[in-house]
């Protein structure tokens, strides 16, 4: 990445949980033009473009049609993960019932696309 992330978010949706293998995913949102060297994505039926490491299969990045010009990178793969705290929860309605994250961050039942895109909620 050639720039700092715009924001970071937890995502509780089933697709992100399955893709990352985690009970909740945390992603940093970067301007798409600042993310380099990903190669060709795999396009999933949902329309999401996703990149995985060719060597180990780890999730590397994702793009979504409803959030144009942004690339989402799992926070856990970044060297600066300790400095990139999520600012909100997306798909909170899909949070696993046994997972308890005690914070006061905004929780959006669905994608939080308006907040993530910078438009009014």
């Amino acid at each position: 990445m050639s720039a700092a992330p715009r924001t970071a978010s937890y995502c509780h949706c089933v697709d992100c949980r399955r893709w990352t293998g985690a009970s909740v995913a945390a992603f940093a949102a970067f301007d798409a033009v600042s993310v380099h060297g990903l190669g060709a994505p795999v396009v999933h039926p949902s329309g999401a473009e996703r990149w995985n490491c060719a060597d180990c299969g780890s999730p590397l990045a994702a793009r979504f049609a409803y959030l144009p010009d942004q690339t989402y990178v799992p926070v856990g793969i970044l060297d600066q993960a300790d400095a990139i705290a999520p600012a909100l929860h997306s798909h909170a309605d899909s949070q696993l019932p046994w997972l308890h994250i005690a914070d006061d961050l905004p929780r959006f039942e669905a994608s939080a696309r308006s907040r993530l895109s910078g438009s009014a909620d």
Side-chain angles (χ1 to χ4, degrees), residues 20-37:
T20 62
S23 54
V24 64
F27 294 102
F30 292 88
D31 289 325
V33 296
S34 71
V35 180
H36 309 281

Side-chain angles (χ1 to χ4, degrees), residues 1 5-6 8 19 23 42 51-52 59-60 64 67 71-72 75 79 82 96 98 110 113:
M1 280 62 76
R6 297 170 68 166
W19 182 51
S23 54
V42 171
W51 290 263
N52 290 72
L60 297 178
F64 307 95
L67 292 167
T71 300
Y72 285 79
V75 171
D79 291 339
D82 60 335
L96 295 169
W98 50 260
R113 67 183 69 187

Side-chain angles (χ1 to χ4, degrees), residues 1 7 10-11 19-22 42-43 47 50 55 59 61 65 73 76 80 93-95 98 100 102 114-115 121:
M1 280 62 76
T7 190
Y10 289 111
C11 186
W19 182 51
T20 62
V42 171
V43 179
R50 293 188 176 145
D55 294 326
V73 177
Q80 309 83 355
D93 59 340
S94 297
Q95 181 174 326
W98 50 260
H100 303 284
S114 62
R115 185 69 161 297
D121 286 328

